Amino acid sequence: MNFNLKANISSTPFNIPEGVYLAGYGHRDKPNIGTHDALHTKAVTISNGEKTIMIISNDLLGVNEEIVKRVVNGIKEGFDILEENIFICATHTHAAPDIFDWEFDKRYSQMDLNKEAKEIIINTIIENGLKSTKDLKPVQLAFGQSKGEGIASNRIDKNALVDNLVSGIFLIGEDNLPLCTMVNYACHPTVLGAENLYISRDYPGVTQSLVEDHFGKDSICMFMNGACGNQSTRFTRRSQDFHEGERIGEILFESVLKAYDNRIAIEDSTISVVKEYFQFPRKQLPSREEAEAYYQTMTEKLNMAKRNLGIAPEELRGIITKHQGAGITLELLEVLDDLNLNAPIQLVRLGNLVFVGVPVELFNDYGFLIKEKSKFPNTIIVGYTNGMLGYVYTPQSYEVGDYEAWSSPFHINTGEKLVEKVINLMEEL
């Protein structure tokens, strides 16, 4: 085994106070009443002797431009590293503090306790990142994949195509155990619903803990969500509670172990990064009359569904989200022109492996396309990287009125443009 890289890791829990409002569900109007399992920030610093990168994963709904800039500046004050070499993403748990404006709602992120939580989170990410830069150890990079059956489905159409690949990126130490396991899987962490008022990492937290317990206390596991814009547990979960989170997290854990068994060493120690801003195309909105008519139609459908005692929970959830999307379109008519849709796309290459970090919720259709067109045999899509601007949806999704498409600020052809941009950027690695 060729230990051609050096790396170190660090993991720190966020100290989030009780009473903070949680993010992810617009109709959740009560603050958290405690912590079920602590949120963490995790960092790995990797060097080949010439270039150094830092990958940071956070148990948060997302990060925004302000958070990323403050974290990057804080890390650069304590460690000599290029800005573009710091890769910051979020797991997208819907049981984390609301720390930035989302869905045009400033009710909670602007409250004093939520502002305090935001400062705690930013400072903790910086301190934890700097810890990972100390005492780098020799490691071997390996990559493996398996199938995660029974976890995610297409959350709009349960019979549609689903990306169920579980990718494991392993940094293996001289003791032949993973120092760091990076798990990439595409699925919204929404096992826990809006009724949950406890801070939690959802199913990715269960998986991370199980992997760390399996490989030992000196190892960390980081979760990186994929092209999960239209993938979730809506049609696979049996309930929306912590027991179900444990069940699904355990399935993913077993898939990670299979990926580890399937691993192949990557001998190429090349490290290269490209980070470039991309102007996401702005949506062409319907007229106010059309938007109001669609909202009224969805309101009537929702009221009918609520009166139907025999309706399946997942079907009701689909109608609720379409109604929410119709409402957000009405708000977009007021604010779309003022939204900043210029955000970075960041690609990190490790040998023949490339992380494609995008600041959006990408439909799996475009994740498949990027992987298909990529010149790198191991291509990983990482959503919620450097931002969380909205859904990149398919034209078909908009035509049928899906929540994801109608709530998005992006033009209907954004997915096609984004794929083209990513493939072009790969030529610079």
Side-chain angles (χ1 to χ4, degrees):
M1 184 176 287
N2 184 10
F3 294 91
N4 47 10
L5 296 169
K6 288 189 174 182
N8 205 0
I9 54 174
S10 185
S11 175
T12 305
F14 295 123
N15 184 21
I16 307 299
E18 188 175 312
V20 168
Y21 283 83
L22 304 181
Y25 296 107
H27 56 293
R28 180 165 48 194
D29 58 1
K30 296 178 182 178
N32 91 79
I33 57 175
T35 296
H36 178 270
D37 52 295
L39 309 176
H40 286 68
T41 179
K42 297 179 180 181
V44 57
T45 297
I46 307 170
S47 176
N48 65 359
E50 297 179 359
K51 293 185 178 180
T52 300
I53 58 170
M54 182 185 296
I55 298 174
I56 300 173
S57 177
N58 305 288
D59 294 316
L60 299 171
L61 182 75
V63 292
N64 68 353
E65 184 178 29
E66 178 200 356
I67 294 170
V68 170
K69 284 185 175 180
R70 288 180 60 186
V71 168
V72 166
N73 289 338
I75 289 172
K76 282 173 59 61
E77 286 181 6
F79 184 67
D80 184 18
I81 186 171
L82 296 174
E83 174 185 341
E84 59 264 30
N85 289 8
I86 303 174
F87 186 97
I88 303 174
C89 64
T91 66
H92 200 52
T93 175
H94 284 46
D98 184 351
I99 54 173
F100 64 89
D101 303 339
W102 177 239
E103 292 185 351
F104 326 112
D105 187 350
K106 301 181 181 181
R107 290 176 298 166
Y108 303 139
S109 63
Q110 300 302 313
M111 290 184 173
D112 288 343
L113 202 56
N114 281 63
K115 288 182 178 179
E116 178 184 327
K118 178 179 177 180
E119 295 305 309
I120 291 171
I121 286 169
I122 290 173
N123 291 332
T124 304
I125 296 173
I126 294 170
E127 293 169 5
N128 184 72
L130 289 173
K131 287 179 183 177
S132 73
T133 66
K134 312 297 184 184
D135 303 321
L136 302 190
K137 308 170 181 65
V139 293
Q140 166 67 57
L141 175 65
F143 179 79
Q145 289 184 317
S146 67
K147 293 290 184 68
E149 305 288 357
I151 304 172
S153 72
N154 186 298
R155 72 179 191 170
I156 300 169
D157 177 1
K158 62 183 177 182
N159 297 314
L161 188 65
V162 60
D163 184 354
N164 59 11
L165 269 182
V166 177
S167 296
I169 301 94
F170 307 98
L171 295 173
I172 301 173
E174 292 180 306
D175 58 359
N176 289 326
L177 291 174
L179 178 72
C180 179
T181 300
M182 289 174 267
V183 177
N184 177 248
Y185 183 69
C187 182
H188 267 73
T190 49
V191 173
L192 302 175
E195 297 75 17
N196 169 60
L197 297 177
Y198 287 91
I199 286 171
S200 174
R201 298 185 289 173
D202 208 291
Y203 80 85
V206 175
T207 300
Q208 292 175 79
S209 293
L210 289 171
V211 171
E212 290 168 353
D213 290 345
H214 181 80
F215 288 124
K217 61 182 178 64
D218 294 328
S219 175
I220 70 163
C221 178
M222 305 166 67
F223 180 80
M224 298 171 153
N225 222 319
C228 72
N230 56 347
Q231 295 199 175
S232 79
T233 61
R234 181 174 297 170
F235 297 109
T236 60
R237 63 190 178 225
R238 300 171 182 173
S239 60
Q240 288 197 273
D241 53 32
F242 293 111
H243 291 298
E244 182 64 1
E246 290 172 5
R247 186 185 73 84
I248 290 178
E250 288 171 1
I251 296 174
L252 182 56
F253 164 65
E254 294 296 335
S255 298
V256 173
L257 294 188
K258 290 177 183 176
Y260 182 68
D261 290 340
N262 296 336
R263 72 191 183 279
I264 297 175
I266 298 177
E267 302 296 342
D268 185 352
S269 60
T270 300
I271 293 179
S272 59
V273 181
V274 57
K275 183 178 181 181
E276 188 171 306
Y277 275 77
F278 176 67
Q279 183 63 54
F280 284 83
R282 206 171 298 268
K283 179 183 277 184
Q284 293 179 343
L285 290 170
S287 68
R288 177 162 292 279
E289 291 75 19
E290 291 172 321
E292 288 178 345
Y294 181 62
Y295 181 75
Q296 182 60 34
T297 296
M298 291 312 304
T299 299
E300 292 171 0
K301 286 187 176 181
L302 178 59
N303 290 336
M304 289 178 61
K306 287 181 176 178
R307 292 194 294 268
N308 180 3
L309 299 180
I311 190 170
E314 60 270 16
E315 184 180 349
L316 176 60
R317 179 63 184 158
I319 295 171
I320 289 172
T321 57
K322 282 191 175 183
H323 180 259
Q324 291 171 338
I328 292 172
T329 289
L330 288 172
E331 297 184 58
L332 279 171
L333 287 165
E334 304 295 332
V335 304
L336 181 61
D337 290 342
D338 298 324
L339 295 180
N340 178 17
L341 301 183
N342 191 34
I345 297 171
Q346 186 175 14
L347 276 61
V348 173
R349 176 185 174 185
L350 286 173
N352 65 6
L353 165 70
V354 62
F355 298 90
V356 178
V358 290
V360 294
E361 304 193 69
L362 192 65
F363 270 33
N364 66 15
D365 308 68
Y366 301 114
F368 282 123
L369 270 177
I370 290 172
K371 293 176 184 179
E372 177 185 322
K373 294 174 177 289
S374 174
K375 67 178 184 179
F376 294 94
N378 303 317
T379 298
I380 304 300
I381 313 298
V382 186
Y384 314 102
T385 300
N386 297 313
M388 192 181 75
L389 300 183
Y391 291 94
V392 175
Y393 56 92
T394 62
Q396 296 81 1
S397 183
Y398 185 80
E399 289 168 5
V400 298
D402 292 329
Y403 159 77
E404 294 81 1
W406 278 68
S407 68
S408 172
F410 303 134
H411 192 277
I412 200 167
N413 68 0
T414 298
E416 175 186 337
K417 299 292 185 183
L418 178 60
V419 171
E420 180 183 4
K421 181 66 175 179
V422 167
I423 299 305
N424 287 339
L425 288 175
M426 285 183 181
E427 296 302 319
E428 301 181 29
L429 292 174

